Structures are given as structure tokens and as C-alpha cells.
Amino acid sequence: MSWIQEAELNPVERLCASILKVGPMPEHVAFIMDGNRRYAQKCRVEREQGHSQGFEKLAETLRWCLNLNIREVTVYAFSIENFKRSKEEVDGLMELARQKFTRLLEEQENLKKHGVCIRVLGNLTLLPVDIQELIAQAVLATQSYNNDLSESLLGKCLYSSSSPDPDLLIRTSGEVRLSDFLLWQTSHSCLVFQPVLWPEYSFWNLCQAVLQYQVNHAALQKAKLLHEAACQRQQVEADLACVLEQMSTLGETEGTECKQELILKYSREREERVSNFLQRLENKRRKFLTDLVQGSSPFLHV
Ligand code: IPE
Ligand code: IPE
Ligand code: MG
């Protein structure tokens, strides 16, 4: 049996899904799957059982997402802070993750048909050292081009950059914090905190969260568009400031026409510098991941 079961929704769930799909649907949903241990305590079962049921719930939730046409899901399965838990619990969680994600990867070919992709995220400080150095070099280089470094460029440096930001972020178990999860990427996401413990998550909980997204959709879109426009305006102003500075250094006092040509030229060159930098970053990242898979990464031996 496939881990992400292909089974259809029951008729009532199907009806609700088709009603929801009339409204705007989130394309990317992120989950902070919290409350496994409280669930185990509540049901008087071993803690490991709580974690195991949590992983099973993930499989079920992915199936619901497929049925709701949610194309991308990112989950918070383990945080760096969680390494502070007992060795027994951490080892158990790692083993569970190994088993479940191996199964998921084996099914990936099948999943590709649905556009589901699996990505492991680290936070920015976990970028391999040479990638950090590359970014540091680029920052130094931009001192003479002081508007190359923008919010959009920083976003493109993150591992999550090949994916759109989540439209909806859901945290279960009643905790109302993000615990360092996708802080950068969720600045315009709809955040939904639900009291249900993760292993008890239901299709109806998911529908309720999607509904909350739909109710807030117009306001979220407006805020996002305003922010994008502000970023673009800032970039144009920064380009203009650089061109004016260059002109004054060269003692040039040409007309408006010439200034506009210079601004266009400057912004084309900036885009080229940024795209070269991102290409170099991508190459380093690919090499790092290939080394990691082949077991030759120095990162594995620190
Ligand atoms: C979330 O459940 C899963 C992981 C962090 C691995 P918890 O283990 O945090 O369970 P609670 O929140 O203590 O109930
Ligand atoms: C972090 O786990 C979030 C995950 C579910 C992986 P915790 O449940 O330990 O969260 P904090 O550290 O208490 O915020
Ligand atoms: Mg927790």
C-alpha cells in the first residue's frame, strides 16, 4: 500500500472539497506538526507511538492536499532545538523519519505526476561554509554597487527559493509561535493556529484552515502587491541614486534623455551581476548536495 494513499475522499468530504475549490485555493501549504507527545499522554500510549501516528497523519494529510489541488506542502518535522530532547527520543524520531521518507522517496516517481516534491530545508545559518563565503564575497563586492543587495536577492539565496512562499501556514496543538520555521517566507502568508493535536488532525480541520485563508485572501493579496510595488520602487530609486552619483563623480551634467539611458544601462548591468552571482551560488549548492549524496562532503565529517 502506498504511504500516501491514493484513496478518494468519501462523498461528504468530496462535496465539501468541491465547494471549497470554488474559492481561491492555497497552492503551497506549510504545516508545523505539533502535539505528538501530548497526544501520546492523552491516549496513554508510548511517546514513540505518538510520533509514529504523527507520521501516518502526514501521509493522510498529503492525500487530502492532493484532493484539494494543493500542489505543494512543506512540513516542519524536526527542529534544531529538538536535538536537545533525550537521545532515545531523537534516535527514535530519526529512525521514523528515515523509514517514512525512504518510502516517500520510493514513491516519488508516482508523486511527480501530482507535482508533489520533497525538499529538506535548513535555516540560513546552516548553509555550508563555502556558500556562506560566496554570499559574504558578494556582499563585499556590492559595496561598490550598493544596491545589488535587495530583499528579493536575499530571498533567492535561500534553499526554499525554487518554490513560491507558502500561502497558508498551519500550526497545530494550540501553540501560537513559529519556532523559527520559514520566518522569511511567511511574511505574507495566512497564519492559522489550531488547537487540535497533530495525530488527531482531520480533513475538516484542513478545510477550516483553507476557509480561513479564503476569508483573508483579498487582504493578503493586497498586502503582498503593495509590498512588491514598494520593493520595485525602492530598486528604481536606488538605481537612480547610483547613476546620479556616477554622473557627479565623472562631472557629467547631461540632459534627462541621457540620464534615462544610463539608468536603463545600469539596471541591465545590475540584473546581470545578480544573475551571475545566483548562477554561481546554484552551482556551489548543486556540488554541495552531490557531495553530500555521494558521502564525500566535508560537512559530513565535522
Ligand atoms: C511535534 O510534537 C513533533 C516534533 C517536534 C518532532 P512534539 O513532540 O513537540 O509534541 P508536544 O508538542 O510536546 O506534545
Ligand atoms: C518545533 O518543535 C516544531 C515542530 C513541530 C518540529 P517543538 O514542539 O519542540 O516547538 P517549540 O520549540 O516548543 O516551539
Ligand atoms: Mg511540541
Side-chain angles (χ1 to χ4, degrees):
M1 193 184 73
S2 164
W3 189 47
I4 298 185
Q5 303 135 45
E6 291 282 340
E8 285 295 317
L9 300 173
N10 71 37
V12 183
E13 290 171 342
R14 231 183 6 251
L15 177 68
C16 177
S18 42
I19 294 171
L20 266 187
K21 282 193 266 183
V22 173
M25 290 300 287
E27 282 176 17
H28 181 183
V29 178
F31 289 93
I32 302 181
M33 311 181 289
D34 201 11
N36 292 354
R37 297 185 298 184
R38 274 167 282 169
Y39 168 80
Q41 208 172 22
K42 186 176 135 188
C43 299
R44 295 201 168 78
V45 294
E46 291 294 316
R47 177 180 285 175
E48 204 187 320
Q49 181 68 19
H51 289 314
S52 173
Q53 290 199 28
F55 272 103
E56 293 305 324
K57 185 55 71 179
L58 170 59
E60 214 178 347
T61 306
L62 290 176
R63 175 172 70 88
W64 297 328
C65 288
L66 282 179
N67 280 293
L68 287 171
N69 291 346
I70 293 167
R71 312 306 300 169
E72 203 161 328
V73 172
T74 301
V75 297
Y76 202 12
F78 195 85
S79 77
I80 293 299
E81 288 298 306
N82 292 152
F83 276 115
K84 292 182 185 153
R85 296 187 182 185
S86 74
K87 183 172 176 336
E88 192 198 350
E89 188 180 351
V90 172
D91 288 351
L93 273 165
M94 291 296 154
E95 181 51 29
L96 261 176
R98 197 187 60 76
Q99 285 171 12
K100 304 291 182 185
F101 288 127
T102 304
R103 222 160 123 195
L104 201 57
L105 282 167
E106 281 163 6
E107 289 170 14
Q108 201 183 11
E109 272 313 303
N110 187 24
L111 291 173
K112 269 183 193 156
K113 283 187 228 144
H114 302 287
V116 174
C117 98
I118 300 162
R119 185 178 297 115
V120 178
L121 294 171
N123 76 21
L124 189 59
T125 56
L126 288 179
L127 286 175
V129 175
D130 55 350
I131 293 183
Q132 280 182 353
E133 268 169 19
L134 184 66
I135 295 178
Q137 282 166 19
V139 172
L140 281 178
T142 56
Q143 282 182 348
S144 48
Y145 301 108
N146 56 14
N147 64 342
D148 283 7
L149 198 65
S150 62
E151 189 182 311
S152 133
L153 177 57
L154 276 178
K156 286 179 188 150
C157 289
L158 302 179
Y159 274 119
S160 56
S161 64
S162 54
S163 166
D165 289 343
D167 304 294
L168 169 63
L169 179 138
I170 298 169
R171 183 170 189 155
T172 58
S173 89
E175 304 299 335
V176 285
R177 56 183 181 277
L178 296 183
S179 305
D180 288 342
F181 183 54
L182 300 180
L183 296 181
W184 181 276
Q185 297 86 343
T186 52
S187 57
H188 292 97
S189 308
C190 175
L191 309 182
V192 175
F193 298 96
Q194 299 183 295
V196 58
L197 302 174
W198 175 251
E200 295 178 322
Y201 203 67
S202 72
F203 175 73
W204 303 110
N205 293 130
L206 180 60
C207 289
Q208 192 192 28
V210 170
L211 200 61
Q212 214 162 317
Y213 165 79
Q214 293 184 336
V215 168
N216 290 289
H217 181 259
L220 290 165
Q221 283 304 103
K222 191 175 166 199
K224 208 162 153 177
L225 288 174
L226 280 174
H227 180 71
E228 279 166 13
C231 286
Q232 272 169 15
R233 213 169 37 242
Q234 266 172 19
Q235 189 67 71
V236 171
E237 282 165 8
D239 283 353
L240 175 63
C242 278
V243 168
L244 289 177
E245 196 184 317
Q246 280 178 1
M247 285 173 79
S248 77
T249 316
L250 296 170
E252 286 177 17
T253 48
E254 308 278 342
T256 320
E257 209 173 299
C258 172
K259 196 161 75 189
Q260 263 170 3
E261 268 172 34
L262 283 173
I263 293 171
L264 274 179
K265 182 168 171 282
Y266 184 88
S267 76
R268 260 199 311 271
E269 286 170 357
R270 173 180 49 73
E271 275 161 21
E272 207 177 305
R273 278 195 303 277
V274 165
S275 123
N276 288 342
F277 163 71
L278 287 172
Q279 192 53 55
R280 271 165 45 226
L281 184 65
E282 180 59 22
N283 294 345
K284 285 232 173 198
R285 192 169 277 166
R286 273 176 202 273
K287 184 176 177 318
F288 167 75
L289 291 174
T290 312
D291 289 351
L292 199 65
V293 171
Q294 291 169 352
S296 56
S297 166
F299 203 53
L300 289 173
H301 308 293
V302 282

